[in-house]
Structure formats: structure tokens, C-alpha cells
Amino acid sequence: MRVRLREPEEPGLPLGDATDRAVIEAPFPLVLIATEGRARVERPEADLAEVANLRRGQSLYVSAGDPIELTGTGEVFLATVGRGWSGRGASVSRTLK
């Protein structure tokens, strides 16, 4: 699965190609790979704060659990080992000004 991120006020990417926030369900472990820009990965519903920053060329292992939230600018690919998971739990929200 690919997620393209942009800041809400960033005019550089067409609206159809990017979002300012993506929420991804994590019923199985995930590996995130940043191929462009930077992204903030957060698990807002966790008991303890779980936050990480990714830059182009970096990867991050995310354990199964509560949903994660991606923000920032760039492109992140997600991979998982979950049988039958097709990203159906992913939701993308757009903030328009």
C-alpha cells in the first residue's frame, strides 16, 4: 500500500494524489518504508506515547495493535505479513482550507 502525504497548505501536489493525514489499521505487524520526504508515525490511542519520524530511505517496524496515523510530506509504502490484509482498514482524511 502507498500513502502520499502533504501539508494541508502545500500546493505542490495535486489533491487527488496526496493527503495531509492517513489512519491505518494495524491488525498485523507493519513495515513502513519512506521513499520520499518525511513522515511522522504516531499511535494516538496507545497507553504510552508511540511516535517516530521517518525520512527518505528509512524504514520502521510497527507492531500489531491500535491504528497508526501518518502525517508529513512525502511517500510511504506499507508492507505486512497478515494473510488476507489488503489495507481495507485504511482511511484517508483530507483537510481542506
Side-chain angles (χ1 to χ4, degrees), residues 7-91:
E7 297 294 335
E9 64 280 350
E10 183 183 1
L13 294 172
L15 185 58
D17 291 340
T19 184
D20 61 325
R21 181 175 158 288
V23 177
I24 310 293
E25 296 292 327
F28 303 103
L30 300 170
V31 174
L32 282 60
I33 303 165
T35 57
E36 291 180 23
R38 59 181 173 73
R40 178 184 169 98
V41 182
E42 186 173 3
R43 187 168 263 162
E45 297 176 16
D47 291 335
L48 300 173
E50 292 183 29
V51 178
N53 292 304
L54 283 177
R55 293 189 183 270
R56 187 181 130 228
Q58 293 182 323
S59 62
L60 176 69
Y61 172 82
V62 177
S63 61
D66 293 328
I68 60 170
E69 181 177 298
L70 303 175
T71 56
T73 58
E75 183 173 69
V76 177
F77 284 83
L78 290 84
T80 186
V81 297
R83 185 174 155 189
W85 187 80
S86 63
R88 282 185 220 147
S91 68

